[in-house]
Structures are given as structure tokens and as C-alpha cells.
Amino acid sequence: MSNLLNKNLNTTNMPDKEGYFGEYGGSFVPKALQRVMDEVAAAYEEISKDPGFIEELRMLNETYTGRPSPVYHAKRLTEAVGGAEIYLKREDLNHTGAHKINHALGEVLLAKRMGKKKVIAETGAGQHGVALATAAALLGLDCDIYMGEVDVKKEAPNVSRMKILGAKVISVTTGTRTLKDAVDEAFKAYLKDPVNQIYCIGSVVGPHPFPEMVRDFQSVIGIEAREQMLRQTGSLPDAIVACVGGGSNAMGLFSAFLDDKSVEIYGVEPAGKGLDTDMNAATMHRGKKGILHGFKCYFIQDENGEALPVYSIASGLDYPGVGPQHCYLHDINRVTYESATDREAVEAFYALSRMEGIIPALESSHAVAYAVKLAKKMGKGKRILVNLSGRGDKDIDFVMENYPLTEYEPEEVMKDGYDEFLSHIQSKTN
């Protein structure tokens, strides 16, 4: 086990040497690509024990990304909800606006150490694409980003950012033209030249060693948050909450708390138009075990084991599978996987914006939405920590066009509490 980023905080001792978390994970790729995966795994194992690499990454986290990101007590939201105290881990304040920069810097540093000339990746909401393009520009590597045509149109600001940073954005027009299809095309491109380029996967998914590697780079979130909550409140949170698509921001937070049995852990999947419809991407609720994109996990599939189209208002959650460690944590009942609908995410998006002056990403809004429910259930005297994984700049045009609040005066409804606020939003979004 490598010692990068204080991994002693996670005593589950996973994955094993073959990349398995229980029965999930592993590497199911063609033999030619497996040799490349073995090379990446060996290189990662080497750099994760290299003090020079660790110090370089630490300095970039501090002086470039702006770490540590703060933990913020959302007092007005807490007061409006009337239950447990809600705290936010502000990953939205990172350079590039999300948690994705944490692993992008690590992966591009690794690529440079390996002598690669180009990094390639998929992106949904564009946050991973922006982060990778940023890291590639910083370290002088070429960068290709594959993005579904639907998301290219939906997340136009992030597409512009990637291009400004020097990345080539390839619009994917096959299949559903969303994240799953972008992953497919990126893998095809990688297979054409695995020697000079490396596929920098954007979540805790894919063949070994990527689920482990991305988790380790993201674990800085949980390490910081644990120390910050102890310092600010004198105790660990009673519950932690994060949205889950592939699951990188969630594993980053969860990893530092897995051994704290007093801390309840919740992953929030996208329920889309409802769990009783096909318009969602709630993998833990609808998925079955199988092989997807080179690893074993739960994923939403047809009777032939082929991935089905999935949907979420949040492009970064629009993925049919989920990281293998999440699958394992689900099976052993260490993490409870809940869900939030599009409607609930929009409500949380506006609530946090109007009550705290923080515009969250639609992905993060799912976590905020569930945290509000949980706060009411847990009641006063408890504390909930939410990973605010990204900011909502990328989503502003889409939300205002499709879910406008044109006649809203905040003081008229907020004085009566959160329920009245939600009733007002619902009347405007029907």
C-alpha cells in the first residue's frame, strides 16, 4: 500500500494488488492495453512513495489550487431548515471551481514523469476537462477532451475555458451524446496510441489503478475536513454527505471517515425525473453487477449486460456506473446511498444561492438537497458536513433558461422559513 496523502486514515486496506475492492474493480481490458495499465500502476506506486513528487504536489495544492479549502457553517440555511447544523466543505473555491483539480494535477504530474506527450480524458459537466486542460497548460502537455454533444451545448462556458487553455475539445455524436459515450470515445483514442499519451480518468472508475489513484489524490478533501471540523466544532460531524456519479468527490471526503463509526455517511445519486421512471442515473437503486469500461461495478444495464442510457439534470452525474469502492461500501452497509430528483436539486441550487450567497454546481446541489432532508430528520444539536464539490457558474445559463425565478423577492418568503421558500420555487418551476 502506497503512503501518498496519509492513506493510513483509511484502514480498509483496499484495493488489493489486483485492484479489487471486495469483488469490484479489477482490470478488464485487452492484453495490449493491460501492459499499459501495468506500467501506469507501477509508475503510480513509485511516485506515491517519492518524497519529491509528494512535495511538488503539496506545493501545487497550496500555491496553485489554493488548499486547504475552508469548511463553512451555513448559518442562514441551517436556521431556515430548522434542524441539524449544516457545514460545507468548499471545494467550489478551488482554482478551476471544483474538486477535479485535485486529481488532475496528480495525473498530469504522473504523465510527465512517465514521459507522455499528451493527456486525454472524458468530461460530462466539463469540470474534469477544465481541470485537466489547466494542469496540462501548467505542465506543458497537449490535451484532448472528449465531451458528449449534448453536454457541449449545455456546458458552453466550460467548453470555452478548455479551448482558451489550449485543449482540443472533441464533440461526441454517438449514442446518447453524453458522458458514457464520451468515455467510450476517449478509450478508443487511447487504444490508438497508449505509448505517447495517457488517459487521465476523471473519477474513481475504470481499470486498476485509476479508482485507487484518483481516490488517493482526492483524499486531501477528507483529511482537511476531518481536521477542520475537529478544530472548529470540537468533534467530528454526525453525518457527511456528497453527491455520487462516478464518485470521486464522495470518495475524497468519505475516505477519512470510514473508520469513524459514529459518523453516518451518505452518497446522493441523481434520481432525475424519479426513481420510478427511466429518466435517472441512480446506479445503486437500479444497477446490477457487471463489467463496464474495464472494471466490475454496479451499472444500469439491459438484459444483455449492455449499459442503458441514463439521465440527470447534472451532466457530471450522468453516468450508468459507479466506482468499485462505492459498490463495496454499499454492500457492507458502511455508506447509505440515497437520491435527489432534478426538482430537489434545483430547489437546493436556488436556496443556497439566496440564503448563503453561494451558487453551487447542479451536481453538488443534489448533496445539498439531501442534506436539508437529513437535517430535518436528525434535528437540532447534530452536525452535517456536505462536500460542496463545485461552483455553479457553468450551470447558470441552463438553470435560468429552464428553471427561471423571475419575480422572486427573497425577504418575502425567507422570513417564513425553508418550506415556504420551496413552495415558492415550486410554483415558479412548474
Side-chain angles (χ1 to χ4, degrees), residues 391-428:
R391 61 175 175 251
D393 302 35
K394 65 185 179 61
D395 298 314
I396 289 173
D397 291 342
F398 173 80
V399 171
M400 292 304 291
E401 179 180 349
N402 293 278
Y403 302 91
L405 277 177
T406 56
E407 299 175 0
Y408 179 65
E409 296 294 337
E411 295 305 323
E412 292 182 10
V413 292
M414 277 178 30
K415 65 184 179 183
D416 295 320
Y418 193 80
D419 290 337
E420 287 73 14
F421 177 81
L422 296 190
S423 294
H424 179 82
I425 290 177
Q426 290 167 357
S427 71
K428 296 296 182 182

Side-chain angles (χ1 to χ4, degrees), residues 297-417:
C297 66
Y298 285 109
F299 72 98
I300 299 172
Q301 56 187 278
D302 63 19
E303 63 276 7
N304 298 315
E306 297 295 324
L308 286 169
V310 293
Y311 161 81
S312 171
I313 193 175
S315 297
L317 303 181
D318 193 2
Y319 185 65
V322 65
Q325 189 166 8
H326 283 290
C327 299
Y328 172 76
L329 293 171
H330 168 271
D331 283 5
I332 67 171
N333 297 314
R334 179 63 188 100
V335 177
T336 301
Y337 291 87
E338 300 287 355
S339 65
T341 64
D342 286 356
R343 170 65 62 82
E344 290 168 333
V346 170
E347 292 170 355
F349 177 93
Y350 278 120
L352 197 64
S353 299
R354 294 301 177 95
M355 294 183 188
E356 298 290 348
I358 299 170
I359 302 175
L362 283 172
E363 291 77 16
S364 312
S365 298
H366 286 71
V368 176
Y370 183 74
V372 166
K373 292 182 184 178
L374 185 62
K376 292 181 178 181
K377 178 181 177 181
M378 295 181 72
K380 294 183 181 297
K382 301 291 186 178
R383 298 187 181 94
I384 300 170
L385 175 64
V386 181
N387 195 18
L388 199 69
S389 55
R391 61 175 175 251
D393 302 35
K394 65 185 179 61
D395 298 314
I396 289 173
D397 291 342
F398 173 80
V399 171
M400 292 304 291
E401 179 180 349
N402 293 278
Y403 302 91
L405 277 177
T406 56
E407 299 175 0
Y408 179 65
E409 296 294 337
E411 295 305 323
E412 292 182 10
V413 292
M414 277 178 30
K415 65 184 179 183
D416 295 320

Side-chain angles (χ1 to χ4, degrees), residues 108 117-121 128-137 140-146 162 165-170:
V108 178
K117 305 300 182 184
K118 178 189 288 187
V119 292
I120 64 174
H128 174 58
V130 169
L132 195 70
T134 299
L141 274 68
D142 292 336
C143 180
D144 287 354
I145 302 295
Y146 291 80
M162 286 183 271
L165 289 161
K168 181 181 179 183
V169 180
I170 297 98

Side-chain angles (χ1 to χ4, degrees), residues 20 25 38 45 54 83 94 103 140 150 154 182 184 198 217 255-257 272 346 354 358 375 407 427:
Y20 282 95
D38 292 341
E45 185 67 19
I54 294 171
N94 292 341
H103 66 250
V150 170
K154 183 178 175 182
D184 290 341
I198 186 171
F217 289 137
S255 60
F257 295 90
V346 170
R354 294 301 177 95
I358 299 170
E407 299 175 0
S427 71

